[in-house]
Amino acid sequence: MSPGRSAAATARSGVVRVDRVTRPVDDVALAEALDPLVLAVDIGSTASRGGVYDAAGRPVTGLRHKVPHAFTVSPAGASVIDPDQVVAEVEQILDAVTADRALGTRLAGVAMDTFAASLIAVDADGRPLTPCLTYADSRCAGEVATLRAELDERAVQQRTGTRIHTSYHAPRLRWLARTEPRTFAAAAGWWSLGEYVYRRLIGVNAAGTSTAAWTGLLDRRTGDLDADLLAAVGVRAEQFSPVHDLADTVDPTRTPRWPALAGARWFPVITDGFASNVGAGATDPTVLAAATATSGALRVLLAGPAEPLPFGMWNYRVDGDRTLLGGALNDVGRAISWAQSTLRLDRDPGATLAADPSSATPLVLPYLTGERAPGWAADAHAVITGVTAATDAAALYRGTVEGIALTYARVATELGPAAPEVGQVVASGRVSNDQPAWLQVLADVLERPVTHVTLKRSTLRGTALLALGVLAPDVPRAPRATGDTYEPVASRAAYYAERRARFDEAYGAVVRR
């Protein structure tokens, strides 16, 4: 228990101070780092970042770099980024982290993850014909409705593990065919952002299994592209890069210009969701990971395809043996940042979240960029109800955070039957690190303990750990860093049950599915 904190206060908050809090994964000096070293790159929603890790999974002191960026968005639903801008960011990262001549040729691997479900049309020479469409681009909402009318969506989901939604390729390809027919006809390839970066850096066309799965076009059992879905949207399998499991490293056809990478193996690009679970320590069916960044998710790693697969969830094939089951939320950090900047709180947000819940708190459906799991309503919008003349900024902020927690709970409810072994919930990411008090709200809503994984850059570390699993499988890894475990407060259960019922009622009234 922390100094000055009474037992009664601890019981009211629900926070449990574990007796043996693990220390953060300390940086290690280059001279003391264990070989082999891995250079990991993470292309996220708000920045590209990279760093060097040693064989124990420890970041090497001073060998990291970050380049911020932002998606270009529009009221019409566009959410894009210039792929050449991202290539330049990655080059800047590689320049920065390999500049230390003491590295020599100790870097044995390069591994990269990107935000999932990105799409770029390229010509025969690999030049981009479109910007990179991100997971949050919702302009193809009309094509979602059309495809759902044409196809048996439940059958599609059982094959690919994904619903028909704006986040996936099928409706996006239909939308491009309708709105940019010349571009669609000229496209020689349909690549993810990571594939494009690799082509520019090392001349390779390759997609990691998880990257291919997040297109919504990959059969979750066989690992092949789904022929029926390709035919439905008018594209061919040869327009997509070969799919590689993680151990199937790729050989550059162009010599990288960084001498420190001369002997490095390049791993196929994976998705940030897969890496996030690994970085948080959620690597088996007993641990459910809550990712809390700009977007969010609940995910559990399974030994094979999820059976049964709930209709509101996805189930991505991530390698030859494993799949990732879960559901994603478009707006977590995005919604919190919006609330903080719009409401201009005059007091600490943490105090607002640590307070006991109040029935005067507005109810918020936090869909700023549409809904993914569990309802998959691509054109859903945020809704705020229960506002009175007495409602202040703090109450609206609290309502936003409660709404985010309730969306996680909706995912958890549907996911539960397909993941019966789950015994632990861990939460990681920027939102949990910046606003740890929100985890008490999450624990109360989920009615189960939530452990805070405090490690920063957990996704980046997860990418490094996946590569190290191939390069150095027998080297013990440094433990993940954890902080408080937040226990649900029993006296709040009735309040959140009523909130959940009101949320579901409002959702049913205003969200079109």
Side-chain angles (χ1 to χ4, degrees):
M1 189 177 299
S2 60
R5 186 180 181 90
S6 70
T10 302
R12 284 195 302 272
S13 71
V15 177
V16 171
R17 301 282 182 179
V18 295
D19 293 333
R20 298 175 64 185
V21 177
T22 59
R23 296 179 60 198
V25 179
D26 294 326
D27 286 15
V28 60
L30 178 59
E32 299 172 357
L34 298 177
D35 285 341
L37 304 184
V38 169
L39 194 163
V41 177
D42 165 41
I43 301 173
S45 298
T46 59
S48 296
R49 50 180 61 81
V52 174
Y53 289 79
D54 82 341
R58 298 173 296 182
V60 178
T61 304
L63 300 185
R64 67 169 65 100
H65 193 69
K66 174 182 175 181
V67 185
H69 61 223
F71 296 160
T72 300
V73 299
S74 77
S79 179
V80 301
I81 192 167
D82 179 356
D84 287 319
Q85 171 192 336
V86 176
V87 171
E89 292 171 4
V90 174
E91 290 176 333
Q92 183 178 336
I93 289 166
L94 298 185
D95 287 342
V97 300
T98 65
D100 189 336
R101 293 187 177 181
L103 268 174
T105 56
R106 293 178 64 187
L107 284 168
V110 179
M112 182 183 297
D113 75 81
T114 73
F115 57 82
S118 57
L119 175 63
I120 307 165
V122 298
D123 66 14
D125 294 319
R127 294 186 296 254
L129 301 174
T130 64
C132 172
L133 279 66
T134 78
Y135 60 87
D137 196 301
S138 61
R139 289 174 291 175
C140 61
E143 281 66 30
V144 170
T146 301
L147 284 169
R148 285 178 177 175
E150 292 178 9
L151 304 174
D152 182 342
E153 187 178 17
R154 290 184 180 271
V156 169
Q157 188 214 23
Q158 286 300 315
R159 297 195 309 270
T160 65
T162 62
R163 296 277 297 270
I164 297 172
H165 187 262
T166 56
S167 296
Y168 300 121
H169 280 18
R172 289 177 174 179
L173 291 165
R174 272 283 188 94
W175 175 76
L176 284 167
R178 176 176 63 83
T179 61
E180 300 184 40
R182 291 184 179 179
T183 299
F184 185 86
W190 304 104
W191 293 353
S192 72
L193 180 57
E195 292 165 63
Y196 183 79
V197 171
Y198 264 30
R199 174 63 178 265
R200 289 287 306 275
L201 293 183
I202 58 174
V204 168
N205 284 25
T209 300
S210 62
T211 297
W214 253 271
T215 68
L217 301 174
L218 193 75
D219 189 298
R220 66 192 178 109
R221 296 184 180 89
T222 68
D224 298 324
L225 292 171
D226 188 86
D228 291 346
L229 205 50
L230 296 182
V233 296
V235 295
R236 306 179 308 279
E238 56 265 29
Q239 292 177 289
F240 296 85
S241 299
V243 178
H244 291 249
D245 277 348
L246 192 69
D248 300 331
T249 52
V250 296
D251 297 323
T253 62
R254 181 183 306 134
T255 302
R257 63 179 175 83
W258 299 274
L261 303 180
R265 295 171 64 182
W266 291 71
F267 289 83
V269 180
I270 62 170
T271 53
D272 56 357
F274 184 23
S276 176
N277 258 57
V278 173
T283 57
D284 65 54
T286 69
V287 185
L288 180 64
T292 65
T294 302
S295 57
L298 281 177
R299 313 183 193 93
V300 59
L301 196 59
L302 303 179
E307 303 292 358
L309 174 55
F311 192 46
M313 300 294 99
W314 36 247
N315 184 216
Y316 300 119
R317 183 184 178 98
V318 295
D319 59 30
D321 300 318
R322 297 178 293 176
T323 68
L324 200 60
L325 170 68
L329 291 67
N330 276 356
D331 303 304
V332 179
R334 182 182 288 108
I336 288 176
S337 296
W338 171 85
Q340 289 175 328
S341 63
T342 303
L343 299 172
R344 300 179 182 178
L345 297 180
D346 58 3
R347 64 179 182 178
D348 176 21
T352 298
L353 300 180
D356 285 329
S358 167
S359 59
T361 302
L363 180 74
V364 179
L365 276 62
Y367 302 128
L368 298 182
T369 60
E371 183 202 18
R372 280 193 275 177
W376 299 92
D379 57 354
H381 294 286
V383 175
I384 303 175
T385 68
V387 177
T388 71
T391 303
D392 60 10
L396 280 169
Y397 180 77
R398 169 88 187 211
T400 301
V401 173
E402 287 187 1
I404 293 168
L406 288 165
T407 58
Y408 277 95
R410 285 164 58 85
V411 173
T413 297
E414 189 150 353
L415 178 149
E421 297 179 59
V422 167
Q424 181 185 13
V425 179
V426 298
S428 65
R430 174 175 57 85
V431 172
S432 296
N433 289 339
D434 291 349
Q435 295 289 337
W438 109 271
L439 293 174
Q440 184 61 60
V441 179
L442 182 62
D444 290 340
V445 170
L446 294 178
E447 296 188 76
R448 60 194 312 167
V450 176
T451 297
H452 184 192
V453 176
T454 57
L455 178 70
K456 293 183 178 180
R457 299 176 296 275
S458 60
T459 298
L460 188 66
R461 182 172 184 258
T463 298
L465 290 177
L466 283 164
L468 288 168
V470 176
L471 296 173
D474 298 325
V475 176
R477 312 292 183 227
R480 64 181 183 180
T482 58
D484 295 333
T485 291
Y486 294 77
E487 294 283 347
V489 178
S491 61
R492 297 172 183 170
Y495 169 85
Y496 284 114
E498 188 269 342
R499 283 268 140 172
R500 172 67 184 272
R502 286 182 54 200
F503 188 106
D504 292 345
E505 181 181 3
Y507 180 94
V510 301
V511 176
R512 295 179 299 167
R513 297 179 65 176

